[in-house]
Every structure is written in C-alpha cells, then in structure tokens.
C-alpha cells in the first residue's frame, strides 16, 4: 500500500542519497545524483519535468529512481511503440482505468482527479499518441509529472514547443549527461574483470558515455567476444533500440550518422552535409570548431550497419571523393571498386610521408580481390613492410617460388628478421654474382648475418673478405650495417661507432630498415654488455624516430627494450611497472611483448609483488626465441625472490649459454648460485656457475663459452667472490653504476658469508640502505633478517601506532598489488586518479613504505 499523500516529494541530500520514506540509500554512480536532485527540486510543486536523452542513456533508470524516492502514491505508465495510435494509452496504463479518449480537457481532468498529490510517471513519450501529449500541460498545472523523451523523436514541432513551455513554466527540461569515463570504466571492469586496459579504454570510447552501450559491449567481451566485432554475441536489444531511434531521423541525418560510422573518426562538418544540424540538435553528434564527432561511436556503427549493400557502397564511393587519398583507397575498396582503389592506393603511397602509411597503402593494393598487382608494386610493398617492422606482410606479398633476385633478397631479409637465418640464407642461395650491385650487396648481407648466428668466427673472416670486394665502408647501407653487426658480435674495437655510423649512413641513404636494424642491434649489444644507461638512451632516441615515421612495430620494440634496461638498473621500479604494464596491454609484436613482460615482472618481483609477477609470466604465450633467455632468467629470479630456490636452480631446464647474451647468462648463473646456497646444495658447471667444490673455472667464467672477451667483469667478480667473500665488496663496486639490485645482492652475500659481526654488519647495513632507497622490498627483507642474526635491530621506518589503513586504502593497495595502474584503479573504484594517488601516498606513510609497490606488498602481507 502506498504511504499517505504528502505535499512534499522526496529530497536528495548534498551527499547524493535519495530519501525513501524514513530510510536513506546511497545513490549509485548512475544515474547521476545531480540530475536526480534537479528533478526532485523541480517537483516540489506541481509541474512537468521532461528527462530527454539519446537511447540507452538511462532515462528509465532516472524515472525509476524518482518513483522509488517519492513519499506518496506513484502512478507509472508508458507509451508503446506498437500501440502509438491508441488514444490515452500511456495515461490509462498509469492510473489503471479507462479514460476519456476524445477531448484533451476531459482526459486531463480524469487523470488529475486520480493522481492529485501523487507522482505521475510516463516513460517513452516519443511513442505517445497526440491526445496524451496535448493533455500533459493541463495535467501539470495541478499534478507532478515526470516523462522521458528519447532523442531523436518524431513529435511534431508544435507538440515539443508546448511541452517545453509547460516545463519552463513549472518544472524542468533536463538532458541526460554522458556517463563519465571513470564510471564507465568501472562498469566495464565489473562486468568484464579480465579485460585489459586497452580493451577497457576502447569499450569506453566506443560507448561514448551511453550506459546501455557500456553494459552490452562489456558483457560481449566477458562472454569471449572481441572489442571490435559486432558478432552474434552482442546484445541485439541495444542495436534494436539504437536502430529504432535512428529511424526517427530524417534521411539526410541518418546518412550523415552512417557516414560517421564508416569513417570511424571525427570529420569536418562539410563532409556530412545538411543532416549534421539535426544530429547536433538531437545530441547524437558534437560539433567543435567545425569538426563533428559522434557522442557514441557505437551508435554511428549501428547507423552504418543499417545500410543495405547498395546504400553502403554508394556512401563509400561518396566518401572517397571527400577524404584524403589515403582514406579514399579504403573506401573505394569497401565499395567494391577494386581497380580504382588500386590506382588510388599506389598513387597515395608514392606521396606518403611515413613508412607506416606507405606500407598500409601498398599492402592494401596487393591484397585487393580481383586485382593482379604489378611486380614493382609488390616489391615496393615488401620493402615498405620491412621498413615498418612487418616481415610477415613482406612474405605474404612476395611469391615463395620467385626466381627474381629482388624478390629473393626481400624474402631472405624478412626470414632473417623473423629469426630464421638458415631459411634466409637458402632464400638467396640462387642470387647470381652478376646481379646488380644493390642486389648482390643485399644477398651478401643476408648470408653474412646468417653466418653470424651459426658460425660467429667464420662470419668475422667472411666480413673481412667482403670488405675487399665491396670496399671499406661498403656503399650498400645494409651490407655496411651487417659488417658492423659482425664486429659488434665479436666485440671488435670501435664496434659501437661502427653500428652508430652504419645506422646514420643508412638513414641518410633512405634505407630505413638498415637504420632501424642497426639501432636495434646497438641497443641489444649495449644491453648484453651491461651498459644499460647507454642502451636505454639509444632505445629512447630510436623509439622517438620510429614514432615520427609511424613505424609502430619498431617503436614498441625500442620502448620495451628501454624499459628492460630500466628494470635491470633497479631505478624507479614503480614507473617501470606502470609503463611496461601499459605497453604489454597493447597489441605488440612478439619480441616487444617479451621484453615488456620481462621488465614489468622483474620490477614487480623486486618490489614484493611476486604473485602478479608470476601470473604475468605464466600468461605470456608464444615466447619469442630471441627473448627466451631473458624471460627464463626473470622466471628463475622471481622464483628465487619468492623463496623457491628449487625452481630457480633447475638444471633440467637450463639453456645453452650461447643462446643468451653475456649479461643475461651471467645473471642466470648468479641466480643459480644464490639458489644453490639457499637450498644448501653444491652448484656445478654451467648449472651453478661453480664447480662441485664451490670454485669457479680458471677463467672465472664458470663454464661459459663463446662470449667475445670472456664473461663480463662484474659477473666474473661476483662469481669469484663466492669462494672468497672478502671480494664481494669489489664485486659490489663493479655493479655500482650498472645495476643497483646486483650491487645489493653482492653486499648481502658478503654479510651472509661472514661469520663475525664486525665484518658482516657493515655490508648488510649498506645493502639495507640501498635496497630501501630503490624500493627493492624482497632484498631489503633479507638484509634486515641477516642483521637480526647479529642482534642489530635498527629503528627503521614503519607504521605508527594508531595509523590503521582505511577500507578504501586497503582496496587501492590491493589493486596496486594486482598490478593495476592508477587509471584502471580509478575506473574500478569509481574515483578520480588524484584520489587514488592520495590513498596510495597515505598508505605509504602509514606503512612506512618508500614506494607504492612496497606499500602494496606490505598491505598484502598484513591482509594475508
């Protein structure tokens, strides 16, 4: 039974709570509390409140919330699309009686006599009959009314004017605002918890602040659908709702909306024509500085999907005349004009300013159905694909059975870039010596680089022979880069300059592939030699250059390598976790993903977030061969940090030392030595970096072979120190400018292997200080445990009495421990990024942590 009538409706407090009778319930993130409060305020006296908005924006939810919060009888009804011609149907459904259906005054009086001091709710007014709409202003003179109106609608102009006038006189005309991105992201996270950051961002962008679209798209992804498809799993009810609204637009407006869906981007107003004005008025499109963008890209996609085949083809053709040639080629291809699309794509590629755009256009030309691309176009497409870092696309456009020397060299280069040196050498085996100089230079480059992988010593001798044939330095940029690579692989004096100058010469000659490949080899070789600061700087510079040329595959590879260097150095581990995690969420080439995951996992493990680090490593599929040793060592290191030495010291899955870089192989041996020490077993040979008696090999390499110049000095010093603990200070100094974490491990080992406190405590105190400064939580804990053995209990930073974490701080730190970045935490909890950072800083202060990663680890330890 409804409560007794009252002259005052429910109120909404400043905190956003709706009052229902005597109870108070917190308002949800959606509908917005501000709009509810505005409607409640307008209903303090009789009047008409109109809630207008696009389909799926939550108008019905607002109506329901207002009905629940009203202290008094509520009469709820609505119009029906299939019965829009039945007079007074919405009002009859609300008051549950048959009403006069011939004159508006009689209808208004009949409704007023029943509603009186109650609240009349009418949903979907856009489907109401003319008599109902005509009666509403008269009813509003005596009763409180709330109606929802979808935009667009087909109400006559005079009917809308009458409603607006009534709302202005007593009531309000309120438009549904878009759902804030943070709230939309939180909803996606709730419905699709496994969605990555990139997927969440894409869904939020596509939904455009429409809650129903957010819900439908998130559920689709949660059920295994992809973010971009519109497959059978997508909510058909949403598409039907949007399609119904679009049907109420005029034809020019529908065409303009469909054009936005086909374009997939904002566009200047002139492209959309006369229908744009109506779209702006109905709130479906935003116009800013002459550029139109759909409020919800998904709505635009639905509009495009409503076109039949002929209409779609015609619109694609029309758009091809209005957009730049780069886009026109794709629209022509979609319209079925393959021959014309081919001509436009080839012409646009010749004028393209970036290798990324050039590759896209030429690959499109080669893939058009029914068009036999000319050989020179296929060759150009293959070259552009290699320059953009897409060897797979290069192999797709070049016939595997080709006997053309140019095609053979391109295939060989692509196979080489994919990590198949033997197949690359076989691809160019038939290229004759009397081929043009450019072709012979490319052939010799591929052969030399293949030999570098299979026979490094023979490659050096072969490089010297080639210099006699091609000159020093060779005119062919790629061959010059290959010779520099051989010298770098064998660490010939001046190899750094050789690679850098080869990259510069290739860039000046317009050989983007040789330039980027040389830069990548420079980064890899510097990293292998533990010159991490130089490697990170070189990677950052190369990534910036690739970004300017839209070479996404190369750019992400360099960015991942930079993060890997930063993780090894042990500096700013919070920043490494954030950036590497964000990078790993994108669609990446396998090599870039391998380095990004390695960087994020190592930083997380060092910071005490061992479970997220293990989960990230286990989730990585199809590990690239070149990043395999890196990922293998990080997996072992995470196991050792987690107190699982048996998994860190596992001879059964040891890798060939020759497959690793000197640094990674050295780190693997150091980790194995630590694991053997913790497990109380003897390490030997390649497995443990020491002989059974605990000594290293005579050359200090602990069995390592094949590295030019022997093992790295810091690695050798560390391995030798295990038989003479007093040499750990020397080893720590060798790591000082290279890797903070290894410096700490040397000091920790020195303290653990010394029996007397006088010799053990100083290095342990230094290890504690360095680990605390760098946020190396696990190593810090080991140092403090070792100090306690010597009865050293220093006054360390810690939680202050009475400083308990709040529930929200616990929630935030728990999400940090799960590897979530700030923006994702904000989305899940429905708060701003600034608020997230405030909670993290507060938690750090209360827990005595220096970094957010350490705070998260301490919070998880406390929470169990």
């Amino acid at each position: 039974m409804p409560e007794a009538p009252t002259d005052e409706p429910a109120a909404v407090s400043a905190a956003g709570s709706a009052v229902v009778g005597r109870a108070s319930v917190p308002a949800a993130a959606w509908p917005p509390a501000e709009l509810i409060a505005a409607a409640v305020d307008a209903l303090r006296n009789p009047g008409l409140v109109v809630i207008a908005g696009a389909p799926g924006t939550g108008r019905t939810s607002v109506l329901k919330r207002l009905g629940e919060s009203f202290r008094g009888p509520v009469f709820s009804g609505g119009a029906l699309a299939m019965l829009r011609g039945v007079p007074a149907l919405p009002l009859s459904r609300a008051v549950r009686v048959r009403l006069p259906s011939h004159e508006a005054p009689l209808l208004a009086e009949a409704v007023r006599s029943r509603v009186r001091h109650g609240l009349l709710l009418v949903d979907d007014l856009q489907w109401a009959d003319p008599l109902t709409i005509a009666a509403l202003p008269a009813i509003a003179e005596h009763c409180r009314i709330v109606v929802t109106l979808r935009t667009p609608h087909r109400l006559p102009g005079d009917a809308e004017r009458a409603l607006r006038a009534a709302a202005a006189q007593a009531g309000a005309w309120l438009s549904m605002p878009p759902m804030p991105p943070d709230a939309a992201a939180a909803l996606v996270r709730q419905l699709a918890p496994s969605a990555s950051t990139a997927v969440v961002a894409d869904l939020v962008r596509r939904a455009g602040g429409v809650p129903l679209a957010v819900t439908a798209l998130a559920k689709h992804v949660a059920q295994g659908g992809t973010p971009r498809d519109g497959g059978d799993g997508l909510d058909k009810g949403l598409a039907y709702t949007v399609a119904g609204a679009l049907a109420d637009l005029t034809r020019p407006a529908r065409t303009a909306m469909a054009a936005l869906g086909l374009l997939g981007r904002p566009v200047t107003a002139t492209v959309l024509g006369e229908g744009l004005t109506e779209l702006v008025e109905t709130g479906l499109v935003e116009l800013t500085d002459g550029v139109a963008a759909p409020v919800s890209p998904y709505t635009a996609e639905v509009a495009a999907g409503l076109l039949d085949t002929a209409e779609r083809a015609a619109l694609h053709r029309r758009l091809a005349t209005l957009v730049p040639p780069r886009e026109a080629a794709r629209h022509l291809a979609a319209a079925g004009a393959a021959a014309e699309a081919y001509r436009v794509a080839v012409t646009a590629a010749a004028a393209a300013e970036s290798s990324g755009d050039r590759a896209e256009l030429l690959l499109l030309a080669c893939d058009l159905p029914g068009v036999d691309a000319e050989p020179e176009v296929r060759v150009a497409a293959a070259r552009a694909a290699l320059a953009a870092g897409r060897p797979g696309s290069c192999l797709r456009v070049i016939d595997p059975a080709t006997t053309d020397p140019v095609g053979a060299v391109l295939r060989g280069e692509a196979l080489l870039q994919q990590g198949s040196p033997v197949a690359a050498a076989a691809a160019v085996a038939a290229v004759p010596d009397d081929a043009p100089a450019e072709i012979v230079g490319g052939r010799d480059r591929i052969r030399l680089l293949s030999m570098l992988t299979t026979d490094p010593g023979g490659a050096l001798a072969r490089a010297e022979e080639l210099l006699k044939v091609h000159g020093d330095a060779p005119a062919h940029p790629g061959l010059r880069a290959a010779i520099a690579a051989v010298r770098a692989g064998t660490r010939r004096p001046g190899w750094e300059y050789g690679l850098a100058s080869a990259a510069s010469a290739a860039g000046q000659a317009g050989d983007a592939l040789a330039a980027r490949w040389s830069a990548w080899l420079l980064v890899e070789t510097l990293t292998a030699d533990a010159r991490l600061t130089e490697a990170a700087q070189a990677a950052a510079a190369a990534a910036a250059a690739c970004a300017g040329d839209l070479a996404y595959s190369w750019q992400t590879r360099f960015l991942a390598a930079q993060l890997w260097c930063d993780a090894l150095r042990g500096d700013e581990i919070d920043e490494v976790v954030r950036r590497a995690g964000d990078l790993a969420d994108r669609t990446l080439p396998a090599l870039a993903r391998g380095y990004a995951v390695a960087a994020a996992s190592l930083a997380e493990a060092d910071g005490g977030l061992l479970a997220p680090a293990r989960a990230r490593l286990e989730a990585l599929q199809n590990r690239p061969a070149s990043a395999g040793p890196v990922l293998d060592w990080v997996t072992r290191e995470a196991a050792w940090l987690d107190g699982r030495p048996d998994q860190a010291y596992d001879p059964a899955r040891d890798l060939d030392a020759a497959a690793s870089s000197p640094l990674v192989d050295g780190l693997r041996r150091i980790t194995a030595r630590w694991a053997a020490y913790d497990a109380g077993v003897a390490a030997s040979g390649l497995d443990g970096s020491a002989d059974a008696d605990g000594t290293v090999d005579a050359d200090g390499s602990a069995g390592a072979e094949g590295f030019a110049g022997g093992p790295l000095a810091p690695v050798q010093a560390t391995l030798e120190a295990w038989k003479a603990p007093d040499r750990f200070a020397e080893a720590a100094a060798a790591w000082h400018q290279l890797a903070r974490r290894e410096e700490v491990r040397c000091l920790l080992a020195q303290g653990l292997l010394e029996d007397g406190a006088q010799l053990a405590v100083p290095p342990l105190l230094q290890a504690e200080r360095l680990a605390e400064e760098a946020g190396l939580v696990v190593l810090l804990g080991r140092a403090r445990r070792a100090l306690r053995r010597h009865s050293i209990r220093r006054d360390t930073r810690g939680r202050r009495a009475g400083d308990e974490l709040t529930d929200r701080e616990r929630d935030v730190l728990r999400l940090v421990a799960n590897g979530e970045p700030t923006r994702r935490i904000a989305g899940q909890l429905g708060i701003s990024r600034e608020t997230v950072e405030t909670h993290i800083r507060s938690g750090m202060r209360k827990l005595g942590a220096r970094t957010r990663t350490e705070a998260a680890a301490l919070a998880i330890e406390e929470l169990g």
Side-chain angles (χ1 to χ4, degrees), residues 73-478:
V74 176
F75 302 86
S76 180
L80 299 174
M82 299 299 293
L83 299 174
R84 62 196 313 169
V86 178
L89 176 65
L91 298 176
S92 295
R93 294 180 67 202
V95 299
R96 302 294 190 272
V97 297
R98 298 189 63 155
L99 297 170
S101 58
H102 300 292
E103 296 184 10
L106 290 177
L107 175 60
E109 178 58 28
V111 174
R112 186 198 65 77
S113 65
R114 288 167 174 78
V115 175
R116 299 177 63 80
H117 298 295
L119 177 64
L120 175 62
L121 304 177
V122 179
D123 201 9
D124 290 327
L125 191 64
Q126 70 276 2
W127 292 325
D129 60 286
L131 184 64
T132 295
I133 296 171
L136 286 177
I139 301 173
E141 293 178 4
H142 306 281
C143 304
R144 299 178 178 88
I145 308 174
V146 183
V147 302
T148 65
L149 178 64
R150 188 204 65 202
T151 54
H153 56 75
R154 289 187 178 180
L155 297 183
D158 55 348
E160 181 176 346
R161 285 192 294 272
L163 292 174
R164 286 187 177 274
Q169 183 176 359
W173 189 288
L174 303 174
S175 296
M176 290 293 299
M179 193 177 201
D182 287 349
L187 181 56
V188 173
R189 282 285 168 204
Q190 178 183 348
L191 298 173
S194 62
S196 68
T197 300
V199 169
V200 172
D202 187 42
L203 294 189
V204 171
R205 184 197 63 80
R206 283 186 70 198
V210 177
L212 185 58
V214 174
T215 301
L217 294 170
K219 286 182 177 179
H220 178 57
V221 169
Q223 294 168 0
T226 63
R228 299 303 307 169
D229 68 29
D232 295 336
L234 195 55
D235 187 355
K236 298 301 182 183
L238 170 61
Y240 178 81
T241 300
V242 173
L246 295 172
D248 286 345
L249 294 170
T250 62
R251 186 178 184 82
R254 290 199 304 271
T255 301
M257 197 68 183
L260 284 170
L262 295 179
L263 287 165
R265 64 172 179 83
V267 69
T268 56
T270 55
V271 172
L272 299 181
E274 58 181 307
L276 176 61
T277 301
E278 183 178 352
L279 294 177
V280 173
E281 291 175 351
T282 56
L284 294 175
V285 168
E286 294 178 338
L287 186 62
T288 305
D289 297 330
V291 176
V295 172
S296 169
Y298 175 75
T299 301
E301 293 168 17
V302 171
L306 294 175
L307 299 171
D308 61 33
T309 303
E311 289 175 327
R312 179 185 292 266
L315 186 52
H316 272 301
R317 275 192 167 277
R318 178 187 167 195
L319 291 174
T321 66
L322 299 172
V323 297
R326 179 172 58 86
E327 293 182 73
R330 293 199 173 277
H331 285 293
L332 288 169
E340 190 176 351
Y342 176 83
R343 292 192 296 271
V344 172
V346 171
T347 302
E353 296 181 355
S354 70
S355 60
D357 283 342
R358 189 176 305 109
E360 288 288 343
L361 288 163
L362 291 173
L363 291 171
L364 170 66
C366 293
D367 292 337
L368 288 168
V371 176
D372 188 11
E374 298 161 302
E376 57 269 25
V377 172
R378 291 191 173 276
V379 167
R383 284 178 174 156
L386 287 172
R390 301 172 59 178
S393 298
C394 171
L395 293 174
R396 191 178 74 245
V397 299
I398 297 294
D399 185 358
T402 182
T403 57
D404 174 44
V406 175
V409 168
L410 289 171
R411 282 191 58 81
E413 187 67 51
L415 291 166
L416 192 66
Q417 298 300 322
Q418 285 190 332
S420 302
V422 176
V428 299
V431 175
D433 292 335
D434 59 355
E438 180 183 356
I439 304 304
V440 173
R443 179 203 65 183
D444 290 346
R445 162 188 164 84
I446 293 167
R447 289 177 174 175
L448 182 61
L449 291 175
S450 299
M451 186 179 293
L452 177 61
T453 303
T454 58
D455 181 13
L460 183 60
R462 178 58 180 161
E464 298 302 324
E465 294 175 5
L466 289 173
L467 288 176
K468 298 176 182 178
V469 176
H470 294 276
D472 190 4
H476 189 284

Side-chain angles (χ1 to χ4, degrees), residues 835-850:
T835 302
V836 171
E837 293 297 336
T838 298
H839 288 312
I840 292 174
R841 287 194 296 270
S842 177
M844 290 170 58
R845 176 183 58 79
K846 291 179 179 180
L847 294 170
R850 290 184 179 273

Side-chain angles (χ1 to χ4, degrees), residues 9-12 34-45 49 66 171-172 174:
V12 176
E34 295 82 358
L35 186 138
I36 299 290
V40 168
D41 186 64
L43 292 172
R44 293 190 181 281
N45 297 300
V49 174
L66 291 171
L174 303 174

Side-chain angles (χ1 to χ4, degrees), residues 502-514:
S504 176
Q508 293 176 7
D511 190 338
L513 171 62

